[in-house]
Amino acid sequence: MESFDLTTDIQPVTEFRAKTSEIIEDLKKNRRTIILTQHGRPAAVLESVEEYQRKQEELRFLTGLVAGMRDLDAGSVVNGEKFFQSLKNRVDDGK
């Protein structure tokens, strides 16, 4: 993950309006996130679709990992060997 660069990653909305195409091309090329400001305060976050999708996939993975860890802590897990044996038994019984 790249560090945040205050000189390029924070831009006023007026600059975004003036350089929209250039900024969007830069987002695609450099895969960075830009904070748009309005009246000197953070107003919006802008990033490429590819970067957004990458972050969503990472979030889904981490959410699943945390859920699995919570299940493990709660004892809500099944022994893998027992699970696959019971699955095999079900398949065998269906023959």
Side-chain angles (χ1 to χ4, degrees), residues 4-70:
F4 195 72
D5 183 349
L6 296 175
T7 61
T8 59
D9 296 340
I10 298 178
Q11 298 185 12
V13 169
T14 53
E15 187 171 337
F16 176 70
R17 279 191 213 121
K19 300 179 180 178
T20 302
S21 294
E22 180 182 325
I23 291 171
I24 289 174
E25 285 304 315
D26 190 53
L27 285 175
K28 290 179 187 177
K29 178 180 165 190
N30 297 320
R31 298 180 66 181
R32 296 186 72 86
T33 300
I34 293 177
I35 306 295
L36 296 178
T37 61
Q38 193 170 35
H39 307 297
R41 301 189 62 145
V45 176
L46 186 64
E47 60 190 4
S48 70
V49 172
E50 294 81 10
E51 187 65 9
Y52 175 80
Q53 288 176 325
R54 185 194 66 75
K55 287 179 180 179
Q56 291 300 305
E57 289 171 10
E58 188 175 278
L59 180 60
R60 280 191 294 277
F61 173 79
L62 292 172
T63 300
L65 185 61
V66 168
M69 292 173 70
R70 286 184 180 148

